[in-house]
């Protein structure tokens, strides 16, 4: 029984040590238009989780695969517009939400960087009018 516990303890210790030794390393890379902080592969390509910040203030935070945005991510442009959703080989592809600085947003599927199919657009003006109408209705309904 003691040898079984000793063997099990050794196995668990080896498992922990091996899992700590990731093949991806976190690094900072400067480019002519910005910088990247995140995981890279053995060749030094962006691969895994990371953030790329452009000089104009725009940034992408999310998944990379062989130097391309690939997986789930969040892109924010310098003008305040954002996209949160799926990427495939550096293109918005899959489900995503595009948001404008005024609070309006569009939830839709994307294909090769362009809107694809039917989506839901909510304008900040429509939302504000509905919110005000609900408040007035609630006020007038008070005893």
């Amino acid at each position: 029984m003691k040898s079984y516990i000793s063997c099990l303890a050794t196995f668990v210790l080896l498992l922990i040590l091996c899992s700590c030794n990731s093949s991806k390393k976190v690094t900072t890379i400067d480019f002519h238009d910005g910088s990247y902080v995140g995981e890279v592969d053995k060749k030094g390509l962006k691969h895994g989780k990371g953030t790329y910040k452009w000089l104009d203030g725009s940034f992408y935070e999310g998944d990379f695969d062989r130097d391309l945005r690939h997986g789930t991510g969040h892109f924010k442009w310098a003008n305040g517009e954002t996209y949160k959703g799926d990427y495939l080989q550096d293109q918005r592809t899959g489900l995503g939400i595009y948001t404008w600085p005024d609070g309006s947003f569009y939830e839709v599927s994307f294909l090769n960087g362009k809107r694809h199919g039917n989506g839901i657009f909510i304008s900040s003006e429509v939302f504000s009018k509905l919110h005000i109408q609900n408040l007035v209705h609630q006020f007038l309904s008070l005893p």
Side-chain angles (χ1 to χ4, degrees):
M1 183 71 174
K2 273 187 169 181
S3 67
Y4 174 74
I5 292 174
S6 176
C7 184
L8 184 60
T10 303
F11 176 74
V12 170
L13 182 61
L14 284 173
L15 186 63
I16 291 170
L17 291 174
C18 289
S19 66
C20 292
N21 187 15
S22 175
S23 62
K24 297 177 187 174
K25 64 178 185 174
V26 175
T27 191
T28 300
I29 305 170
D30 290 324
F31 295 92
H32 72 281
D33 61 348
S35 64
Y36 172 77
V37 176
E39 297 175 331
V40 295
D41 63 11
K42 293 177 182 177
K43 295 179 182 177
L45 300 175
K46 298 182 290 281
H47 194 81
K49 302 282 185 195
T51 302
Y52 193 104
K53 292 182 181 179
W54 282 264
L55 298 176
D56 70 355
S58 300
F59 72 87
Y60 169 80
E61 181 176 26
D63 299 327
F64 288 87
D65 184 38
R66 290 172 278 160
D67 245 13
L68 302 175
R69 292 171 291 186
H70 190 87
T72 304
H74 173 217
F75 193 104
K76 183 172 184 179
W77 286 268
N79 66 5
E81 295 175 6
T82 66
Y83 169 79
K84 291 182 182 178
D86 299 329
Y87 283 85
L88 180 68
Q89 297 179 349
D90 223 31
Q91 297 289 321
R92 292 181 300 236
T93 299
L95 295 176
I97 299 175
Y98 193 97
T99 306
W100 287 266
D102 70 356
S104 300
F105 67 92
Y106 192 51
E107 185 172 354
V108 69
S109 288
F110 286 82
L111 181 63
N112 297 322
K114 298 184 186 215
R115 294 184 304 261
H116 182 73
N118 295 326
I120 299 169
F121 175 77
I122 302 294
S123 166
S124 62
E125 289 182 28
V126 170
F127 179 76
S128 296
K129 288 177 185 176
L130 289 173
H131 183 67
I132 290 170
Q133 288 174 349
N134 285 338
L135 289 175
V136 169
H137 177 71
Q138 289 173 358
F139 179 75
L140 294 176
S141 299
L142 293 174

